[in-house]
Amino acid sequence: MQFLLFLGTVRDSTPPSPPRLGLRVAKACMTHFRRFHEEHSVELIDPLDFDIGSIFKPHFAYARSKTPSELQALAEKIDEADGYIVVSPEYNHSMSPALAHLLNHFGSSLFSYKPSAIVTYSAGQWGGARAAVGMRTFLSELGCLPVSAMIQVPKAHEVFQEDGAVLDGIDEKGWSEYLGRAFSQLEWWASGAKAQRGHIDPHRLVQDFKRDPSQRNAPGNSEI
Ligand SMILES: Cc1cc2nc3c(=O)[nH]c(=O)nc-3n(C[C@H](O)[C@H](O)[C@H](O)COP(=O)(O)O)c2cc1C
């Protein structure tokens, strides 16, 4: 199976803490996933690699032939992926705006009927737990339901080195088991969802919202 790991940080300044602390967390997740789920692939999606401009125009708002190639390429990756690892810092108790902005460019039909795993981190003691709560709602609306186990990394600069390895004196086994719990859930749900997608095409069974948000309204509420 193929997995995408979305990284949430584009912060390239300091203070506070080292810039792009999230890269360490992302690298730790990638290393773990490649080691313990080696039959699958995982690719890092870094928002800094995408020039999506300051004016918001989502992928689904373009005529097919006019879609910027970068946006189209990422849409295809999202569509082809079997699951997602979503790594976000906590900014003001919320998920990263850069991550939300990137994800908002793509319709739920590309993400849906596949699972996701939420990974948050911070320089502080809560590891982004408050951002993670909001991410459950966000990812659920995209249709890539988050697995129950979440990964929170408090004081991430005191846990992971720049290459994603745990720092000396840190409980490496404990962190490995902690990451493993969420990623094992992700793999289990992803393989189940893939098998079921092969059995029944969910996009045929349940129509995607292609035209207007009012398609999701309860009957009789069209004027509200
Ligand atoms: C705008 C902003 C808001 C922040 N809000 C929080 C917060 O709500 N909770 C927290 O624990 N840390 C917060 N921090 C500190 C971050 O955890 C810390 O800067 C971390 O390194 C951010 O990840 P990044 O370096 O990958 O961008 C905030 C940092 C910034 C820049």
Side-chain angles (χ1 to χ4, degrees), residues 2 4 15 23 36 39 50 81 106 135-136 178 184-185 195 198 220:
Q2 302 175 50
L4 298 181
L23 260 180
F36 293 101
E39 64 275 39
F50 296 89
F106 304 97
M135 288 170 73
R136 276 207 187 286
Y178 182 54
S184 295
Q185 283 193 357

Side-chain angles (χ1 to χ4, degrees), residues 72 110 133 163:
Q72 182 58 28
L110 301 179
V133 171
D163 65 0

